[in-house]
């Protein structure tokens, strides 16, 4: 049967912030508990029937990933634009009693579910430990296509510092009481606040922008150490490559590239930060970059023998960008071979070196 689509009108929904004229599949809002189990998608529970809930419990389908946003029922109705959204939280109690493992997410909106509301939500969610294993807090993504939508403001450095301080305060409490950090701030908060990323062992979730940068750096350092221990400090021939990334990851990717150049003789890497003009400059993740922006901003640049792109920039299993530009088209426009870098630090090193 068909995937179950979402009937909410969430004030933070990114799909509502998409321009017209893109491929049809990009406008599908899924809220299917089966996809939550199979692929890790987050569900609001508002589109889940009692039959769905009973089936999850009967077959013990876990984990289920829940998009909480807030534990204040009234506020949740407002944020999801669904009068049943607050009542849907009672389904969490049923999953909890049945021992169905859950993970949670809160999309934080400035002045709405942050501050005291976030504090309240975390306190309430702690009551579901250990069945609820973790909760991640991510900032709302704001594209330039928000005409007629709920007025939301971007978070600034000071806001990010306050969010991290609140979360890290709860992490200490959870560690003392339950032996886990439980609540996690996404990488974007730390980058916005200009703070060092936490160590890898602090993370319970490694997905959706949470802990991914720390994992990448850890794997990269390990790969470079392995090469050093094997005495592989030089290339058999000189190699010049280029790579692109979004504004969010740029400082880290640049640092990694510079370390490789210093450690491995004969290697030259050009790292280019691509500004997201398609969705708007507030969108800083590499996964939402388009072929058109890359083509425009790399025109006339030094690209070396190969241009490296992160795999999350393309549709899964295909060679197409969000704006329907394809790899061969981009290769032709820039006159350079394109290769894809998988999302691990080990693949980063081996692909840069052409191994």
């Amino acid at each position: 049967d068909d995937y179950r689509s979402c009937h909410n009108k969430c004030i933070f929904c990114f799909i509502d912030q998409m321009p017209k004229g893109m491929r049809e599949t990009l406008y599908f809002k899924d809220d299917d508990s089966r996809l939550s189990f199979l692929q890790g998608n987050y569900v609001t529970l508002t589109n889940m029937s009692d039959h769905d809930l009973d089936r999850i419990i009967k077959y013990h389908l876990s984990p289920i990933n829940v998009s909480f946003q807030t534990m204040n029922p009234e506020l949740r109705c407002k944020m999801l634009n669904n009068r049943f959204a607050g009542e849907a939280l009672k389904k969490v109690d049923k999953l909890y009693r049945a021992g169905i493992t859950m993970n949670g997410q809160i999309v934080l909106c400035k002045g709405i579910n942050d501050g005291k509301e976030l504090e309240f939500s975390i306190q309430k969610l702690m009551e579901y430990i250990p069945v609820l294993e973790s909760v991640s807090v991510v900032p709302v993504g704001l594209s330039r296509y928000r005409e007629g939508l709920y007025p939301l403001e971007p978070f600034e450095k000071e806001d990010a510092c306050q969010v991290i301080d609140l979360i890290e305060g709860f992490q200490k409490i959870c560690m003392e009481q339950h032996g886990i950090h439980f609540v996690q701030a996404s990488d974007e908060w730390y980058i916005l606040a200009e703070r060092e990323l936490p160590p890898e062992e602090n993370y319970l979730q490694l997905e959706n922008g949470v802990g991914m940068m720390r994992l990448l750096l850890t794997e990269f350092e390990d790969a470079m150490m392995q090469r050093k221990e094997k005495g592989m400090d030089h290339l058999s021939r000189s190699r010049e490559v280029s790579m692109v990334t979004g504004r969010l990851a740029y400082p880290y990717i640049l640092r990694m590239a510079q370390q490789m150049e210093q450690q491995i003789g004969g290697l030259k890497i050009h790292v280019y930060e691509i500004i997201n003009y398609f969705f708007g400059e507030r969108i800083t993740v590499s996964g939402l970059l388009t072929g058109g922006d890359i083509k425009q901003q790399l025109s006339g640049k030094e690209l070396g023998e190969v241009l490296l792109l992160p795999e999350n920039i393309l549709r899964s299993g295909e060679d197409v960008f969000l704006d329907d530009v394809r790899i061969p088209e981009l290769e032709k426009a820039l006159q350079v071979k394109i290769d894809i870098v998988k999302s691990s630090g080990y693949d980063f090193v081996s692909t840069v070196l052409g191994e």
Side-chain angles (χ1 to χ4, degrees), residues 22-23 25-26 244 274 278-279 286-295 298 307-316 318-331 334 338-340:
M22 302 178 75
R23 61 178 179 269
T25 53
L26 293 175
V244 303
I274 304 298
F278 186 88
F279 284 110
S286 60
L288 290 174
L289 292 176
T290 59
D293 276 339
I294 294 170
K295 180 166 59 175
L298 291 190
L307 170 63
L308 304 176
L309 303 178
E311 69 172 346
N312 66 350
I313 213 168
L314 300 171
R315 186 176 183 179
S316 180
E318 298 185 30
D319 69 349
V320 63
F321 296 87
L322 283 166
D323 58 353
D324 288 336
V325 171
R326 293 187 176 272
I327 291 291
E329 181 185 340
L330 190 58
E331 286 180 321
L334 297 175
I338 290 176
D339 206 350
I340 305 302

Side-chain angles (χ1 to χ4, degrees), residues 95 159 186:
L95 293 170
D159 304 315
S186 67

Side-chain angles (χ1 to χ4, degrees), residues 146-335:
R146 291 198 54 80
E147 189 175 343
L149 298 179
Y150 191 96
L152 292 174
E153 298 177 34
F155 287 98
E156 306 296 344
K157 180 180 177 179
E158 185 182 349
D159 304 315
C161 291
Q162 291 173 0
V163 170
I164 292 170
D165 289 343
L166 189 151
I167 287 174
E168 290 187 345
F170 274 108
Q171 285 180 338
K172 290 176 184 175
I173 295 170
C174 290
M175 183 57 73
E176 289 170 4
Q177 295 181 359
H178 305 283
I180 58 171
H181 286 96
F182 181 63
V183 61
Q184 327 246 243
S186 67
D187 298 347
E188 195 169 345
W189 295 115
Y190 286 94
I191 296 170
L192 184 57
E194 298 178 6
R195 291 191 185 180
E196 190 64 32
L197 293 165
E200 190 182 346
E201 58 267 22
N202 282 28
Y203 291 100
L204 294 166
Q205 289 188 27
L206 287 169
E207 59 187 351
N208 294 324
V210 180
M212 300 303 292
M213 192 57 66
R214 171 52 68 198
L215 181 61
L216 178 69
L217 293 173
T218 300
E219 292 173 342
F220 170 78
E221 292 292 347
D222 187 45
M224 293 300 289
M225 183 60 70
Q226 289 179 25
R227 291 189 66 86
K228 193 171 184 179
E229 288 171 352
K230 293 174 183 176
M232 302 168 69
D233 296 339
H234 285 79
L235 296 172
S236 56
R237 64 174 182 83
S238 61
R239 178 171 166 83
E240 183 179 0
V241 304
S242 55
M243 59 177 59
V244 303
T245 186
R247 178 175 289 172
L248 190 68
Y250 175 74
Y252 297 94
I253 302 299
L254 181 62
R255 188 199 309 172
M256 292 159 66
Q258 289 171 341
Q259 184 177 332
M260 289 190 74
E261 287 180 331
Q262 291 165 8
Q263 187 171 320
I264 302 171
L267 180 64
K268 176 65 180 173
I269 309 171
H270 305 282
V271 182
Y272 294 107
E273 173 189 347
I274 304 298
I275 307 302
N276 199 325
Y277 293 121
F278 186 88
F279 284 110
E281 295 184 35
R282 290 175 181 164
I283 302 300
T284 58
V285 294
S286 60
L288 290 174
L289 292 176
T290 59
D293 276 339
I294 294 170
K295 180 166 59 175
Q296 179 189 3
Q297 293 173 52
L298 291 190
S299 179
K301 303 279 185 170
E302 293 183 73
L303 300 178
E305 60 193 80
V306 63
L307 170 63
L308 304 176
L309 303 178
E311 69 172 346
N312 66 350
I313 213 168
L314 300 171
R315 186 176 183 179
S316 180
E318 298 185 30
D319 69 349
V320 63
F321 296 87
L322 283 166
D323 58 353
D324 288 336
V325 171
R326 293 187 176 272
I327 291 291
E329 181 185 340
L330 190 58
E331 286 180 321
K332 185 178 179 182
L334 297 175
Q335 290 296 292

Side-chain angles (χ1 to χ4, degrees), residues 110-177:
K110 189 173 179 178
I112 297 173
N113 62 337
D114 57 351
K116 292 292 183 184
E117 287 291 348
L118 177 59
E119 194 174 334
F120 170 77
S121 293
I122 295 172
Q123 286 172 338
K124 294 295 290 182
L125 290 168
M126 284 171 60
E127 296 173 8
Y128 296 107
I129 298 173
V131 178
L132 179 61
E133 293 186 330
S134 67
V135 173
S136 62
V137 180
V138 303
V140 62
L142 301 175
S143 86
R144 65 189 179 95
Y145 301 99
R146 291 198 54 80
E147 189 175 343
L149 298 179
Y150 191 96
L152 292 174
E153 298 177 34
F155 287 98
E156 306 296 344
K157 180 180 177 179
E158 185 182 349
D159 304 315
C161 291
Q162 291 173 0
V163 170
I164 292 170
D165 289 343
L166 189 151
I167 287 174
E168 290 187 345
F170 274 108
Q171 285 180 338
K172 290 176 184 175
I173 295 170
C174 290
M175 183 57 73
E176 289 170 4
Q177 295 181 359

